[in-house]
Tab-separated table of all heavy atoms in Angstrom:
chain	number	residue	atom	x	y	z
A	1487	PRO	N	-8.198	-6.691	-11.959
A	1487	PRO	CA	-9.156	-6.632	-13.071
A	1487	PRO	C	-10.126	-7.815	-13.028
A	1487	PRO	O	-10.153	-8.672	-13.921
A	1487	PRO	CB	-8.248	-6.696	-14.301
A	1487	PRO	CG	-7.076	-7.518	-13.852
A	1487	PRO	CD	-6.876	-7.183	-12.388
A	1488	ILE	N	-10.951	-7.874	-11.979
A	1488	ILE	CA	-11.799	-9.049	-11.774
A	1488	ILE	C	-12.941	-9.135	-12.782
A	1488	ILE	O	-13.449	-10.232	-13.050
A	1488	ILE	CB	-12.366	-9.065	-10.338
A	1488	ILE	CG1	-13.276	-7.851	-10.100
A	1488	ILE	CG2	-11.233	-9.112	-9.321
A	1488	ILE	CD1	-14.015	-7.917	-8.779
A	1490	LYS	N	-13.267	-9.040	-15.967
A	1490	LYS	CA	-13.140	-9.849	-17.176
A	1490	LYS	C	-13.174	-11.343	-16.889
A	1490	LYS	O	-13.177	-12.153	-17.820
A	1490	LYS	CB	-11.865	-9.484	-17.926
A	1490	LYS	CG	-10.568	-9.688	-17.171
A	1490	LYS	CD	-9.394	-9.173	-18.003
A	1490	LYS	CE	-8.065	-9.281	-17.269
A	1490	LYS	NZ	-6.948	-8.729	-18.074
A	1491	TYR	N	-13.205	-11.722	-15.598
A	1491	TYR	CA	-13.245	-13.137	-15.243
A	1491	TYR	C	-14.562	-13.562	-14.587
A	1491	TYR	O	-14.893	-14.749	-14.577
A	1491	TYR	CB	-12.102	-13.475	-14.287
A	1491	TYR	CG	-10.741	-13.141	-14.820
A	1491	TYR	CD1	-10.000	-12.080	-14.306
A	1491	TYR	CD2	-10.180	-13.884	-15.854
A	1491	TYR	CE1	-8.745	-11.778	-14.796
A	1491	TYR	CE2	-8.923	-13.588	-16.358
A	1491	TYR	CZ	-8.213	-12.530	-15.818
A	1491	TYR	OH	-6.968	-12.229	-16.311
A	1492	LEU	N	-15.309	-12.613	-14.030
A	1492	LEU	CA	-16.477	-12.961	-13.216
A	1492	LEU	C	-17.532	-13.735	-13.987
A	1492	LEU	O	-18.205	-14.606	-13.429
A	1492	LEU	CB	-17.089	-11.682	-12.615
A	1492	LEU	CG	-16.293	-11.024	-11.490
A	1492	LEU	CD1	-16.915	-9.689	-11.106
A	1492	LEU	CD2	-16.224	-11.943	-10.272
A	1494	ARG	N	-17.008	-15.617	-16.634
A	1494	ARG	CA	-16.437	-16.747	-17.349
A	1494	ARG	C	-17.047	-18.048	-16.813
A	1494	ARG	O	-17.059	-18.293	-15.618
A	1494	ARG	CB	-14.928	-16.758	-17.166
A	1494	ARG	CG	-14.191	-17.931	-17.734
A	1494	ARG	CD	-14.143	-17.950	-19.240
A	1494	ARG	NE	-13.517	-16.778	-19.815
A	1494	ARG	CZ	-13.013	-16.723	-21.049
A	1494	ARG	NH1	-13.086	-17.792	-21.832
A	1494	ARG	NH2	-12.482	-15.612	-21.504
A	1495	GLU	N	-17.573	-18.870	-17.719
A	1495	GLU	CA	-18.172	-20.132	-17.302
A	1495	GLU	C	-17.085	-21.093	-16.841
A	1495	GLU	O	-16.076	-21.287	-17.513
A	1495	GLU	CB	-18.956	-20.756	-18.464
A	1495	GLU	CG	-19.706	-22.018	-18.064
A	1495	GLU	CD	-20.550	-22.574	-19.197
A	1495	GLU	OE1	-20.724	-21.853	-20.210
A	1495	GLU	OE2	-21.023	-23.715	-19.073
A	1496	ARG	N	-17.282	-21.670	-15.678
A	1496	ARG	CA	-16.295	-22.577	-15.094
A	1496	ARG	C	-16.476	-23.982	-15.675
A	1496	ARG	O	-17.569	-24.547	-15.641
A	1496	ARG	CB	-16.488	-22.599	-13.580
A	1496	ARG	CG	-15.556	-23.555	-12.848
A	1496	ARG	CD	-14.328	-22.858	-12.371
A	1496	ARG	NE	-13.556	-23.767	-11.503
A	1496	ARG	CZ	-12.346	-24.177	-11.758
A	1496	ARG	NH1	-11.710	-23.778	-12.841
A	1496	ARG	NH2	-11.720	-24.977	-10.920
A	1497	ALA	N	-15.413	-24.534	-16.232
A	1497	ALA	CA	-15.466	-25.866	-16.836
A	1497	ALA	C	-14.171	-26.613	-16.514
A	1497	ALA	O	-13.300	-26.784	-17.372
A	1497	ALA	CB	-15.667	-25.758	-18.343
A	1498	PRO	N	-13.999	-27.051	-15.255
A	1498	PRO	CA	-12.721	-27.641	-14.837
A	1498	PRO	C	-12.400	-28.940	-15.554
A	1498	PRO	O	-13.270	-29.779	-15.793
A	1498	PRO	CB	-12.905	-27.863	-13.335
A	1498	PRO	CG	-14.378	-27.842	-13.113
A	1498	PRO	CD	-14.957	-26.953	-14.151
A	1499	GLU	N	-11.131	-29.074	-15.901
A	1499	GLU	CA	-10.606	-30.282	-16.539
A	1499	GLU	C	-9.569	-30.905	-15.606
A	1499	GLU	O	-9.314	-30.399	-14.511
A	1499	GLU	CB	-9.993	-29.932	-17.894
A	1499	GLU	CG	-10.975	-29.270	-18.862
A	1499	GLU	CD	-10.302	-28.813	-20.141
A	1499	GLU	OE1	-9.285	-29.432	-20.530
A	1499	GLU	OE2	-10.767	-27.824	-20.734
A	1501	PHE	N	-6.405	-30.918	-14.897
A	1501	PHE	CA	-5.047	-30.381	-14.829
A	1501	PHE	C	-4.991	-29.267	-13.793
A	1501	PHE	O	-5.994	-28.611	-13.507
A	1501	PHE	CB	-4.578	-29.858	-16.194
A	1501	PHE	CG	-5.243	-28.584	-16.656
A	1501	PHE	CD1	-4.720	-27.329	-16.331
A	1501	PHE	CD2	-6.400	-28.626	-17.430
A	1501	PHE	CE1	-5.323	-26.161	-16.762
A	1501	PHE	CE2	-7.017	-27.462	-17.866
A	1501	PHE	CZ	-6.475	-26.227	-17.528
A	1502	TYR	N	-3.814	-29.082	-13.224
A	1502	TYR	CA	-3.540	-27.953	-12.339
A	1502	TYR	C	-2.789	-26.900	-13.141
A	1502	TYR	O	-2.273	-27.163	-14.235
A	1502	TYR	CB	-2.751	-28.404	-11.109
A	1502	TYR	CG	-3.590	-29.269	-10.190
A	1502	TYR	CD1	-3.558	-30.656	-10.294
A	1502	TYR	CD2	-4.423	-28.703	-9.249
A	1502	TYR	CE1	-4.337	-31.457	-9.470
A	1502	TYR	CE2	-5.214	-29.489	-8.414
A	1502	TYR	CZ	-5.166	-30.857	-8.541
A	1502	TYR	OH	-5.950	-31.639	-7.737
A	1503	LEU	N	-2.712	-25.703	-12.585
A	1503	LEU	CA	-2.147	-24.574	-13.329
A	1503	LEU	C	-1.121	-23.839	-12.487
A	1503	LEU	O	-1.370	-23.522	-11.316
A	1503	LEU	CB	-3.272	-23.604	-13.726
A	1503	LEU	CG	-2.860	-22.279	-14.395
A	1503	LEU	CD1	-2.228	-22.529	-15.762
A	1503	LEU	CD2	-4.069	-21.346	-14.534
A	1504	PHE	N	0.040	-23.586	-13.086
A	1504	PHE	CA	0.965	-22.572	-12.559
A	1504	PHE	C	0.951	-21.422	-13.546
A	1504	PHE	O	1.158	-21.625	-14.745
A	1504	PHE	CB	2.393	-23.090	-12.406
A	1504	PHE	CG	3.344	-22.019	-11.932
A	1504	PHE	CD1	3.545	-21.811	-10.589
A	1504	PHE	CD2	3.997	-21.190	-12.841
A	1504	PHE	CE1	4.386	-20.788	-10.147
A	1504	PHE	CE2	4.833	-20.166	-12.413
A	1504	PHE	CZ	5.029	-19.969	-11.058
A	1505	PHE	N	0.733	-20.209	-13.052
A	1505	PHE	CA	0.601	-19.056	-13.936
A	1505	PHE	C	1.476	-17.918	-13.417
A	1505	PHE	O	1.371	-17.515	-12.259
A	1505	PHE	CB	-0.862	-18.591	-13.990
A	1505	PHE	CG	-1.134	-17.536	-15.020
A	1505	PHE	CD1	-1.589	-17.872	-16.282
A	1505	PHE	CD2	-0.930	-16.187	-14.735
A	1505	PHE	CE1	-1.845	-16.908	-17.245
A	1505	PHE	CE2	-1.161	-15.212	-15.686
A	1505	PHE	CZ	-1.618	-15.573	-16.941
A	1506	GLY	N	2.343	-17.398	-14.264
A	1506	GLY	CA	3.158	-16.256	-13.874
A	1506	GLY	C	4.559	-16.358	-14.442
A	1506	GLY	O	4.979	-17.417	-14.929
A	1529	VAL	N	-0.306	-27.500	-16.196
A	1529	VAL	CA	-0.023	-26.566	-17.283
A	1529	VAL	C	0.761	-25.402	-16.698
A	1529	VAL	O	0.366	-24.841	-15.665
A	1529	VAL	CB	-1.322	-26.063	-17.946
A	1529	VAL	CG1	-1.019	-24.951	-18.946
A	1529	VAL	CG2	-2.043	-27.215	-18.635
A	1531	ALA	N	2.067	-21.694	-17.480
A	1531	ALA	CA	1.873	-20.546	-18.368
A	1531	ALA	C	2.655	-19.365	-17.831
A	1531	ALA	O	2.402	-18.910	-16.708
A	1531	ALA	CB	0.391	-20.194	-18.490
A	1552	LEU	N	3.397	-23.606	-21.793
A	1552	LEU	CA	2.813	-22.716	-22.802
A	1552	LEU	C	3.622	-21.447	-23.028
A	1552	LEU	O	3.455	-20.790	-24.048
A	1552	LEU	CB	1.389	-22.325	-22.385
A	1552	LEU	CG	0.370	-23.460	-22.225
A	1552	LEU	CD1	-0.987	-22.882	-21.845
A	1552	LEU	CD2	0.268	-24.287	-23.492
A	1555	VAL	N	1.118	-16.138	-22.316
A	1555	VAL	CA	-0.179	-16.322	-22.961
A	1555	VAL	C	-0.956	-15.005	-22.965
A	1555	VAL	O	-0.673	-14.087	-22.182
A	1555	VAL	CB	-1.019	-17.417	-22.271
A	1555	VAL	CG1	-0.304	-18.760	-22.318
A	1555	VAL	CG2	-1.333	-17.034	-20.820
A	1556	SER	N	-1.944	-14.910	-23.837
A	1556	SER	CA	-2.803	-13.734	-23.929
A	1556	SER	C	-3.768	-13.677	-22.752
A	1556	SER	O	-3.959	-14.663	-22.033
A	1556	SER	CB	-3.613	-13.779	-25.232
A	1556	SER	OG	-4.530	-14.870	-25.194
A	1557	ASP	N	-4.402	-12.519	-22.558
A	1557	ASP	CA	-5.405	-12.378	-21.501
A	1557	ASP	C	-6.558	-13.351	-21.713
A	1557	ASP	O	-7.085	-13.925	-20.751
A	1557	ASP	CB	-5.936	-10.945	-21.460
A	1557	ASP	CG	-4.914	-9.959	-20.917
A	1557	ASP	OD1	-3.885	-10.403	-20.360
A	1557	ASP	OD2	-5.140	-8.745	-21.048
A	1558	GLU	N	-6.958	-13.541	-22.955
A	1558	GLU	CA	-8.057	-14.462	-23.247
A	1558	GLU	C	-7.676	-15.897	-22.901
A	1558	GLU	O	-8.467	-16.650	-22.321
A	1558	GLU	CB	-8.444	-14.359	-24.725
A	1558	GLU	CG	-9.545	-15.318	-25.158
A	1558	GLU	CD	-10.825	-15.184	-24.361
A	1558	GLU	OE1	-11.135	-14.075	-23.885
A	1558	GLU	OE2	-11.526	-16.206	-24.205
A	1559	LYS	N	-6.461	-16.284	-23.241
A	1559	LYS	CA	-5.999	-17.629	-22.903
A	1559	LYS	C	-5.884	-17.794	-21.394
A	1559	LYS	O	-6.195	-18.871	-20.856
A	1559	LYS	CB	-4.654	-17.890	-23.585
A	1559	LYS	CG	-4.106	-19.298	-23.339
A	1559	LYS	CD	-5.008	-20.368	-23.927
A	1559	LYS	CE	-4.400	-21.754	-23.771
A	1559	LYS	NZ	-5.277	-22.812	-24.309
A	1560	ALA	N	-5.442	-16.748	-20.697
A	1560	ALA	CA	-5.351	-16.807	-19.237
A	1560	ALA	C	-6.726	-17.076	-18.635
A	1560	ALA	O	-6.874	-17.920	-17.743
A	1560	ALA	CB	-4.775	-15.507	-18.689
A	1561	ALA	N	-7.735	-16.360	-19.116
A	1561	ALA	CA	-9.095	-16.570	-18.620
A	1561	ALA	C	-9.561	-18.000	-18.887
A	1561	ALA	O	-10.211	-18.628	-18.039
A	1561	ALA	CB	-10.041	-15.568	-19.273
A	1562	GLU	N	-9.209	-18.510	-20.043
A	1562	GLU	CA	-9.568	-19.894	-20.398
A	1562	GLU	C	-8.893	-20.882	-19.453
A	1562	GLU	O	-9.514	-21.865	-19.006
A	1562	GLU	CB	-9.146	-20.159	-21.845
A	1562	GLU	CG	-9.411	-21.565	-22.343
A	1562	GLU	CD	-8.835	-21.786	-23.735
A	1562	GLU	OE1	-8.954	-20.870	-24.578
A	1562	GLU	OE2	-8.252	-22.869	-23.968
A	1563	LEU	N	-7.646	-20.634	-19.115
A	1563	LEU	CA	-6.921	-21.523	-18.214
A	1563	LEU	C	-7.485	-21.473	-16.801
A	1563	LEU	O	-7.631	-22.513	-16.142
A	1563	LEU	CB	-5.436	-21.159	-18.193
A	1563	LEU	CG	-4.662	-21.449	-19.478
A	1563	LEU	CD1	-3.283	-20.798	-19.434
A	1563	LEU	CD2	-4.530	-22.952	-19.703
A	1564	PHE	N	-7.805	-20.276	-16.320
A	1564	PHE	CA	-8.396	-20.153	-14.988
A	1564	PHE	C	-9.729	-20.894	-14.922
A	1564	PHE	O	-10.051	-21.530	-13.910
A	1564	PHE	CB	-8.610	-18.685	-14.625
A	1564	PHE	CG	-7.350	-17.905	-14.383
A	1564	PHE	CD1	-7.259	-16.565	-14.759
A	1564	PHE	CD2	-6.252	-18.489	-13.782
A	1564	PHE	CE1	-6.106	-15.839	-14.544
A	1564	PHE	CE2	-5.086	-17.765	-13.557
A	1564	PHE	CZ	-5.017	-16.444	-13.937
A	1565	ALA	N	-10.514	-20.801	-15.989
A	1565	ALA	CA	-11.815	-21.459	-16.011
A	1565	ALA	C	-11.685	-22.974	-16.118
A	1565	ALA	O	-12.565	-23.713	-15.661
A	1565	ALA	CB	-12.645	-20.920	-17.175
A	1566	GLY	N	-10.582	-23.457	-16.709
A	1566	GLY	CA	-10.449	-24.877	-16.972
A	1566	GLY	C	-9.630	-25.663	-15.967
A	1566	GLY	O	-9.739	-26.889	-15.912
A	1567	ALA	N	-8.800	-24.992	-15.165
A	1567	ALA	CA	-7.930	-25.704	-14.231
A	1567	ALA	C	-8.696	-26.194	-13.012
A	1567	ALA	O	-9.635	-25.539	-12.545
A	1567	ALA	CB	-6.791	-24.791	-13.785
A	1568	ARG	N	-8.286	-27.333	-12.467
A	1568	ARG	CA	-8.873	-27.785	-11.203
A	1568	ARG	C	-8.545	-26.782	-10.101
A	1568	ARG	O	-9.389	-26.470	-9.249
A	1568	ARG	CB	-8.342	-29.163	-10.813
A	1568	ARG	CG	-8.783	-30.275	-11.714
A	1568	ARG	CD	-8.312	-31.634	-11.235
A	1568	ARG	NE	-9.071	-32.113	-10.090
A	1568	ARG	CZ	-8.971	-33.350	-9.586
A	1568	ARG	NH1	-8.121	-34.217	-10.145
A	1568	ARG	NH2	-9.686	-33.715	-8.549
A	1569	ALA	N	-7.312	-26.278	-10.120
A	1569	ALA	CA	-6.892	-25.270	-9.145
A	1569	ALA	C	-5.610	-24.612	-9.640
A	1569	ALA	O	-4.850	-25.197	-10.407
A	1569	ALA	CB	-6.673	-25.895	-7.762
A	1570	LEU	N	-5.393	-23.393	-9.181
A	1570	LEU	CA	-4.132	-22.687	-9.414
A	1570	LEU	C	-3.173	-23.042	-8.292
A	1570	LEU	O	-3.534	-22.989	-7.112
A	1570	LEU	CB	-4.382	-21.175	-9.414
A	1570	LEU	CG	-3.128	-20.289	-9.458
A	1570	LEU	CD1	-2.567	-20.222	-10.873
A	1570	LEU	CD2	-3.440	-18.879	-8.943
A	1571	LEU	N	-1.943	-23.390	-8.639
A	1571	LEU	CA	-0.908	-23.657	-7.645
A	1571	LEU	C	-0.042	-22.415	-7.485
A	1571	LEU	O	0.454	-21.868	-8.472
A	1571	LEU	CB	-0.060	-24.868	-8.065
A	1571	LEU	CG	-0.844	-26.144	-8.375
A	1571	LEU	CD1	0.108	-27.311	-8.603
A	1571	LEU	CD2	-1.842	-26.476	-7.274
A	1572	TYR	N	0.140	-21.997	-6.241
A	1572	TYR	CA	0.780	-20.708	-5.971
A	1572	TYR	C	1.817	-20.899	-4.861
A	1572	TYR	O	1.600	-20.536	-3.703
A	1572	TYR	CB	-0.312	-19.711	-5.549
A	1572	TYR	CG	0.053	-18.258	-5.699
A	1572	TYR	CD1	0.216	-17.674	-6.953
A	1572	TYR	CD2	0.213	-17.454	-4.575
A	1572	TYR	CE1	0.519	-16.338	-7.087
A	1572	TYR	CE2	0.520	-16.106	-4.707
A	1572	TYR	CZ	0.677	-15.559	-5.962
A	1572	TYR	OH	0.977	-14.215	-6.095
A	1579	GLY	N	0.036	-10.003	-5.081
A	1579	GLY	CA	-0.196	-10.985	-6.129
A	1579	GLY	C	-1.596	-10.899	-6.692
A	1579	GLY	O	-2.577	-11.173	-5.999
A	1580	LEU	N	-1.692	-10.485	-7.958
A	1580	LEU	CA	-2.997	-10.389	-8.613
A	1580	LEU	C	-3.483	-11.735	-9.121
A	1580	LEU	O	-4.697	-11.935	-9.262
A	1580	LEU	CB	-2.915	-9.401	-9.786
A	1580	LEU	CG	-2.680	-7.933	-9.446
A	1580	LEU	CD1	-2.563	-7.121	-10.727
A	1580	LEU	CD2	-3.821	-7.383	-8.591
A	1581	VAL	N	-2.582	-12.661	-9.395
A	1581	VAL	CA	-2.972	-13.917	-10.050
A	1581	VAL	C	-3.985	-14.714	-9.228
A	1581	VAL	O	-4.984	-15.191	-9.779
A	1581	VAL	CB	-1.729	-14.758	-10.392
A	1581	VAL	CG1	-2.133	-16.137	-10.906
A	1581	VAL	CG2	-0.890	-14.039	-11.448
A	1582	PRO	N	-3.811	-14.902	-7.904
A	1582	PRO	CA	-4.838	-15.639	-7.154
A	1582	PRO	C	-6.206	-14.959	-7.195
A	1582	PRO	O	-7.241	-15.643	-7.219
A	1582	PRO	CB	-4.286	-15.655	-5.728
A	1582	PRO	CG	-2.830	-15.470	-5.874
A	1582	PRO	CD	-2.667	-14.560	-7.046
A	1583	ILE	N	-6.227	-13.631	-7.213
A	1583	ILE	CA	-7.493	-12.909	-7.269
A	1583	ILE	C	-8.163	-13.124	-8.617
A	1583	ILE	O	-9.380	-13.366	-8.701
A	1583	ILE	CB	-7.256	-11.409	-7.007
A	1583	ILE	CG1	-6.599	-11.197	-5.646
A	1583	ILE	CG2	-8.568	-10.634	-7.078
A	1583	ILE	CD1	-6.040	-9.809	-5.440
A	1584	GLU	N	-7.374	-13.051	-9.688
A	1584	GLU	CA	-7.917	-13.283	-11.029
A	1584	GLU	C	-8.447	-14.705	-11.153
A	1584	GLU	O	-9.529	-14.936	-11.712
A	1584	GLU	CB	-6.838	-12.999	-12.072
A	1584	GLU	CG	-6.435	-11.531	-12.139
A	1584	GLU	CD	-5.223	-11.283	-13.011
A	1584	GLU	OE1	-4.428	-12.216	-13.209
A	1584	GLU	OE2	-5.067	-10.155	-13.484
A	1585	ALA	N	-7.696	-15.672	-10.625
A	1585	ALA	CA	-8.153	-17.056	-10.668
A	1585	ALA	C	-9.453	-17.220	-9.885
A	1585	ALA	O	-10.410	-17.850	-10.365
A	1585	ALA	CB	-7.065	-17.977	-10.107
A	1586	ASN	N	-9.500	-16.662	-8.680
A	1586	ASN	CA	-10.714	-16.740	-7.884
A	1586	ASN	C	-11.904	-16.071	-8.573
A	1586	ASN	O	-13.039	-16.552	-8.479
A	1586	ASN	CB	-10.496	-16.086	-6.517
A	1586	ASN	CG	-9.866	-17.004	-5.484
A	1586	ASN	OD1	-9.588	-16.576	-4.369
A	1586	ASN	ND2	-9.649	-18.262	-5.813
A	1587	ALA	N	-11.650	-14.963	-9.267
A	1587	ALA	CA	-12.738	-14.284	-9.985
A	1587	ALA	C	-13.347	-15.198	-11.044
A	1587	ALA	O	-14.546	-15.109	-11.337
A	1587	ALA	CB	-12.227	-13.001	-10.623
A	1588	ALA	N	-12.534	-16.091	-11.607
A	1588	ALA	CA	-13.021	-17.056	-12.588
A	1588	ALA	C	-13.574	-18.315	-11.930
A	1588	ALA	O	-13.943	-19.264	-12.622
A	1588	ALA	CB	-11.894	-17.425	-13.555
A	1589	GLY	N	-13.618	-18.336	-10.597
A	1589	GLY	CA	-14.127	-19.496	-9.879
A	1589	GLY	C	-13.105	-20.585	-9.665
A	1589	GLY	O	-13.449	-21.694	-9.245
A	1590	CYS	N	-11.839	-20.294	-9.925
A	1590	CYS	CA	-10.772	-21.291	-9.808
A	1590	CYS	C	-10.176	-21.258	-8.396
A	1590	CYS	O	-9.679	-20.207	-7.961
A	1590	CYS	CB	-9.680	-21.006	-10.839
A	1590	CYS	SG	-8.291	-22.163	-10.795
A	1591	PRO	N	-10.207	-22.372	-7.668
A	1591	PRO	CA	-9.588	-22.398	-6.338
A	1591	PRO	C	-8.073	-22.210	-6.438
A	1591	PRO	O	-7.464	-22.472	-7.472
A	1591	PRO	CB	-9.927	-23.799	-5.815
A	1591	PRO	CG	-11.018	-24.300	-6.695
A	1591	PRO	CD	-10.823	-23.656	-8.025
A	1592	VAL	N	-7.482	-21.755	-5.332
A	1592	VAL	CA	-6.040	-21.518	-5.272
A	1592	VAL	C	-5.450	-22.343	-4.135
A	1592	VAL	O	-5.949	-22.308	-3.006
A	1592	VAL	CB	-5.739	-20.017	-5.049
A	1592	VAL	CG1	-4.235	-19.793	-4.914
A	1592	VAL	CG2	-6.309	-19.176	-6.175
A	1638	ARG	N	-19.764	-20.788	-6.500
A	1638	ARG	CA	-19.232	-19.639	-7.243
A	1638	ARG	C	-19.517	-18.316	-6.533
A	1638	ARG	O	-18.732	-17.366	-6.629
A	1638	ARG	CB	-19.841	-19.633	-8.654
A	1638	ARG	CG	-19.227	-18.599	-9.616
A	1638	ARG	CD	-17.778	-18.961	-9.931
A	1638	ARG	NE	-17.169	-17.996	-10.815
A	1638	ARG	CZ	-17.170	-18.078	-12.152
A	1638	ARG	NH1	-17.738	-19.119	-12.743
A	1638	ARG	NH2	-16.580	-17.165	-12.892
A	1641	PHE	N	-16.788	-17.135	-4.310
A	1641	PHE	CA	-15.689	-16.532	-5.064
A	1641	PHE	C	-16.033	-15.094	-5.461
A	1641	PHE	O	-15.203	-14.185	-5.332
A	1641	PHE	CB	-15.389	-17.382	-6.309
A	1641	PHE	CG	-14.734	-18.696	-6.025
A	1641	PHE	CD1	-15.485	-19.800	-5.642
A	1641	PHE	CD2	-13.363	-18.837	-6.121
A	1641	PHE	CE1	-14.875	-21.009	-5.378
A	1641	PHE	CE2	-12.745	-20.052	-5.861
A	1641	PHE	CZ	-13.508	-21.147	-5.482
Side-chain angles (χ1 to χ4, degrees):
I1488 63 172
K1490 60 185 177 182
Y1491 303 109
L1492 288 173
R1494 175 71 59 160
E1495 185 176 348
R1496 178 94 172 118
E1499 301 174 28
F1501 71 89
Y1502 291 94
L1503 174 66
F1504 177 89
F1505 188 94
V1529 172
L1552 299 181
V1555 299
S1556 66
D1557 288 348
E1558 178 57 30
K1559 182 64 176 179
E1562 178 186 319
L1563 291 169
F1564 290 145
R1568 292 184 75 171
L1570 172 78
L1571 306 187
Y1572 201 69
L1580 293 177
V1581 173
I1583 302 166
E1584 293 171 336
N1586 276 177
C1590 180
V1592 177
R1638 188 67 181 269
F1641 288 82

